[in-house]
Amino acid sequence: QVQLVESGGGLVQPGGSLRLSCAASGSFFSINAMAWYRQAPGKERELVAAITTGDSTKYTDSVKGRFTISRDNAKNTVFLQMNSLKPEDTAVYYCNCNAQITLRITKDYWGQGTQVTISA
């Protein structure tokens, strides 16, 4: 089993910044890709950003140039630096990882979610 613990959410004003963190722990060989998703009220969960073990990244169009995903492989931790925040960024943000459970088995895991609210 893999546990993902997120931190860093909160309430900020438009134009502000937040940094989310997510640490993976448990029983696994390694963590493969890691990602952040978000879900706003009444909307489907969407991919915000993803990063591979080789630090290749991708972002949804609405956050390009404002958000940066990074990871610390030694600590099995992924970060999401969010700048120039907008009210439409308000959502519950979820950490996701693909863990190498055995040499042949991988499995996806989710964090519990952290609320990000952008409001004046």
Side-chain angles (χ1 to χ4, degrees), residues 3 12 14 22 38 41 49 52 57-58 60 69 78 80 83 90 98 103 111 114:
Q3 295 79 43
V12 297
C22 172
R38 66 186 179 187
T52 68
T57 59
K58 66 176 179 181
T60 191
I69 189 170
V78 64
L80 186 68
N83 299 328
T90 296
N98 180 264
L103 289 178
T114 185

Side-chain angles (χ1 to χ4, degrees), residues 92-109:
V92 178
Y93 284 69
Y94 296 91
C95 176
N96 170 271
C97 80
N98 180 264
Q100 195 75 37
I101 304 303
T102 69
L103 289 178
R104 296 183 179 182
I105 297 174
T106 65
K107 187 174 180 181
D108 278 1
Y109 294 88

Side-chain angles (χ1 to χ4, degrees), residues 11 14 17 27 50 61 64 66 72 83 87 94 98 104 116-117 120:
L11 170 65
S17 298
S27 179
D61 286 346
K64 287 180 180 177
R66 300 188 298 122
D72 182 336
N83 299 328
Y94 296 91
N98 180 264
R104 296 183 179 182
V116 171
T117 302

Side-chain angles (χ1 to χ4, degrees), residues 18-32:
L18 281 173
R19 187 181 193 227
L20 306 182
S21 300
C22 172
S25 63
S27 179
F28 52 87
F29 280 110
S30 63
I31 299 295
N32 300 320

